[in-house]
Amino acid sequence: MNELTAAELLAAQVQGASALEITAAFLRTIHERDGSLNAFLHVDDEFALAQARAVDAKRKHGDLLGILAGVPVAVKDILCVAGQKTTCGSKILRDFIPPYDAHVITRLKQADAILLGKTNMDEFAMGSSTENSGFTITRNPWDLERTPGGSSGGSAAAVAAGLAPLGIGTDTGGSIRQPAALCGIVGFKPTYGRVSRFGVIAFGSSLDQVGPLAHNVYDAALLLEAIAGHDARDSTSVDRPVPAYSRGLDQLVKPLTVGIPREFFSDGLDAEVENAVRVALAEYQSQGAVLKEISLPHSSFAVAVYYLVATAEASSNLARYDGVHFGHRAEKFADLLDMVARSRGEGFGAEVKRRVMLGTYALSSGYVDAYYLKALKVRRLIKDDFDTAFRQCDVIAGPTTPTAAFKLGEKTGDPLAMYLSDIYTIGANLAGLPGISVPCGFTKNGLPIGLQLMAAPFEEGKLLQVARMFERATDWHNRRPKVQAPG
Ligand code: GLN
């Protein structure tokens, strides 16, 4: 049961399987295997089983069922779920229980999906390995000594290991696509504004997007369909109809021009990753696509720009954790200022502190022109590069990450090396574009490799079709890791 895709689980229920037995099977797998992975921070068996019983009752009464009826979902702990602990991977929110649901959670409930629990993540989504979590380290199901990627590493590991058929992640600089690539699954970051951020704990508000993690493109399309759409509670949410992404997925995009940015195949790209991606590009060619070399001339500035914009926004967003409004408050303090300083000092981890300091510095008077405002100007140039590119091609293709999954601990001492794992994914966030990572091979050590595809804003439909063209011709997405229960 736990190896099935969302589509197969929907079909199984038409054949007589119950949402209750499906949910129970995934909960059992979590309890058996998650001791080896630590993908979940909180699992709510009672809540999930009650939801499953309600879906079965609806079906029995012949009520209309949502598009994810009886399909379990693992949700990154950055999304508020009413009445359930939501920590954002931070000790400062260790005991935070939101009084309301994020918009995406409301949509999942309306779709009759089953919420299994909340997954581990880098604290406030700051990181690329899930090692910055304030609670535990998540392991890669393909090799327990390696990272699942981050910051949505818990959701990605959960899907890859069969603990949940679907996962929800957020992507500010790559946090859906990078862990998807490192765990051998599909990860999709929608256009900025496509999915409401209401109830998503804010990191970089001009960059954050919620999106699906799944075994294949069809499941990702289905989950996107369930969560996308306008929500007046997020002023950046765009009021545009949501196409039925999962239908028409098998339509071939013809003619198809695939743009290949020359900047994505340079120093630092691992040879095995490059080789797998080039083979994937050749597959498109064999299906009649034209491969066209393009240039994104400002892409070498993307990481620097991102670490000014994202940290500036984070320093402002995280000001609310003051020991008064939200979360942890220090027990002993001298006065108000001391209380705020101690609460934050005790509650935040090292990476979050580093980012708050960086962002505050970049925004401070005397430096804001040289850093933050300069970064915004370069961000515009990066966006212009993409606009120019999409006049010459339908999609842009390249590697999702420069290497396959790295060892736990390998980059924790070197923030810059960690930041560079998002070198190919950050551009889509700065420009607000949709991007997807699909499995495209394995290293000789058996580690998954991801192919990244990006499209112009709101071209999710075409992007999914192009991704599906590759998936249909290959079977990388059908491989599953063998995860042992802890010994
Ligand atoms: N790894 C990047 C960072 O640390 C991106 C994180 C994300 O997308 N949430 O900021």
Side-chain angles (χ1 to χ4, degrees):
M1 194 81 97
N2 70 293
E3 300 235 324
L4 299 183
T5 65
E8 289 165 345
L9 291 166
L10 289 168
Q13 291 174 88
V14 174
Q15 304 298 315
S18 71
L20 188 62
E21 63 185 300
I22 290 171
T23 304
F26 280 97
L27 288 171
R28 207 178 314 120
T29 311
I30 292 172
H31 295 305
E32 268 166 29
R33 294 186 192 167
D34 201 32
S36 309
L37 299 170
N38 297 328
F40 281 88
L41 286 175
H42 337 279
V43 177
D44 197 331
D45 293 57
E46 288 318 307
F47 184 78
L49 293 170
Q51 275 191 306
R53 282 190 200 97
V55 169
D56 287 334
K58 265 179 139 177
R59 188 182 302 277
K60 210 166 144 211
H61 296 148
D63 295 350
L64 203 62
L65 288 165
I67 64 168
L68 294 174
V71 180
V73 182
V75 175
K76 186 177 185 180
D77 206 23
I78 196 169
L79 285 101
C80 289
V81 177
Q84 287 188 22
K85 227 179 233 189
T86 298
T87 68
C88 211
S90 181
K91 290 199 176 97
I92 211 160
L93 289 176
R94 182 196 284 277
D95 300 312
F96 177 60
I97 298 181
Y100 63 91
D101 281 331
H103 181 74
V104 165
I105 298 298
T106 304
R107 287 299 194 82
L108 289 173
K109 288 180 176 172
Q110 285 166 350
D112 288 316
I114 310 295
L115 305 177
L116 290 175
K118 309 295 287 295
T119 56
N120 195 24
M121 55 182 285
D122 288 297
E123 184 176 9
F124 286 101
M126 296 173 185
S128 310
S129 68
T130 315
E131 290 164 294
N132 293 337
S133 165
F135 302 106
T136 185
I137 286 171
T138 300
R139 294 171 185 273
N140 189 312
W142 293 94
D143 178 346
L144 298 179
E145 299 305 308
R146 289 175 191 267
T147 171
S151 64
S152 314
S155 286
V159 172
L163 309 185
L166 295 175
I168 291 284
T170 59
D171 192 312
T172 304
S175 281
I176 292 174
R177 291 160 289 158
Q178 185 256 17
L182 271 42
C183 288
I185 60 172
V186 172
F188 192 94
K189 174 219 170 288
T191 307
Y192 183 76
R194 182 71 291 191
V195 179
S196 168
R197 293 179 294 111
F198 177 79
V200 180
I201 295 175
F203 164 14
S205 303
S206 76
L207 303 156
D208 299 340
Q209 263 298 288
V210 185
L213 291 147
H215 288 297
N216 61 34
V217 175
Y218 179 86
D219 280 12
L222 199 64
L223 181 50
L224 179 64
E225 224 170 286
I227 64 174
H230 182 241
D231 169 25
R233 297 170 299 181
D234 170 3
S235 61
T236 63
S237 154
V238 176
D239 194 0
R240 268 171 94 112
V242 179
Y245 299 117
S246 63
R247 264 178 273 150
L249 205 55
D250 280 312
Q251 220 166 292
L252 304 181
V253 180
K254 266 186 180 174
L256 171 63
T257 306
V258 178
I260 303 165
R262 88 171 67 91
E263 294 81 4
F264 281 28
F265 293 86
S266 55
D267 291 352
L269 178 59
D270 174 83
E272 284 185 283
V273 174
E274 169 161 5
N275 187 49
V277 170
R278 292 215 186 267
V279 171
L281 296 174
E283 171 55 39
Y284 279 108
Q285 202 167 24
S286 78
Q287 292 190 37
V290 174
L291 304 186
K292 187 176 169 75
E293 192 184 270
I294 59 159
S295 175
L296 299 169
H298 297 92
S299 55
S300 62
F301 303 115
V303 173
V305 168
Y306 172 85
Y307 278 95
L308 289 166
V309 173
T311 58
E313 293 182 8
S315 80
S316 164
N317 275 323
L318 272 55
R320 74 192 66 179
Y321 306 100
D322 54 6
V324 179
H325 294 88
F326 293 99
H328 174 75
R329 179 183 302 169
E331 270 181 24
K332 292 199 187 80
F333 48 85
D335 54 21
L336 178 66
L337 216 58
D338 188 46
M339 188 274 286
V340 174
R342 281 179 197 272
S343 301
R344 289 168 69 84
E346 291 166 11
F348 289 146
E351 182 63 24
V352 172
K353 288 177 184 166
R354 175 162 32 239
R355 303 239 185 155
V356 169
M357 284 190 276
L358 246 165
T360 306
Y361 185 79
L363 286 173
S364 59
S365 106
Y367 295 100
V368 66
D369 291 313
Y371 294 111
Y372 179 65
L373 295 177
K374 179 67 106 6
L376 292 186
K377 289 175 187 163
V378 184
R379 181 179 188 177
R380 161 58 59 183
L381 296 175
I382 290 170
K383 164 85 171 114
D384 290 347
D385 285 353
F386 280 106
D387 289 347
T388 306
F390 286 122
R391 283 197 277 278
Q392 306 163 58
C393 61
D394 298 284
V395 296
I396 292 174
T400 307
T401 58
T403 66
F406 43 93
K407 286 241 165 77
L408 290 165
E410 191 179 319
K411 299 189 182 183
T412 41
D414 183 353
L416 211 55
M418 191 70 92
Y419 297 171
L420 287 170
S421 19
D422 298 303
I423 189 159
Y424 304 129
T425 48
I426 277 172
N429 301 80
L430 291 172
L433 311 173
I436 189 169
S437 180
V438 291
C440 76
F442 285 83
T443 66
K444 57 181 182 317
N445 292 331
L447 300 172
I449 298 170
L451 168 73
Q452 181 180 215
L453 300 161
M454 291 176 271
F458 295 100
E459 300 222 309
E460 274 81 8
K462 180 161 82 177
L463 184 57
L464 288 160
Q465 285 170 343
V466 172
R468 178 72 189 130
M469 283 170 69
F470 177 72
E471 186 178 82
R472 201 170 26 222
T474 56
D475 84 332
W476 305 115
H477 60 287
N478 292 322
R479 310 268 181 106
R480 299 282 191 275
K482 297 245 173 316
V483 183
Q484 307 295 336

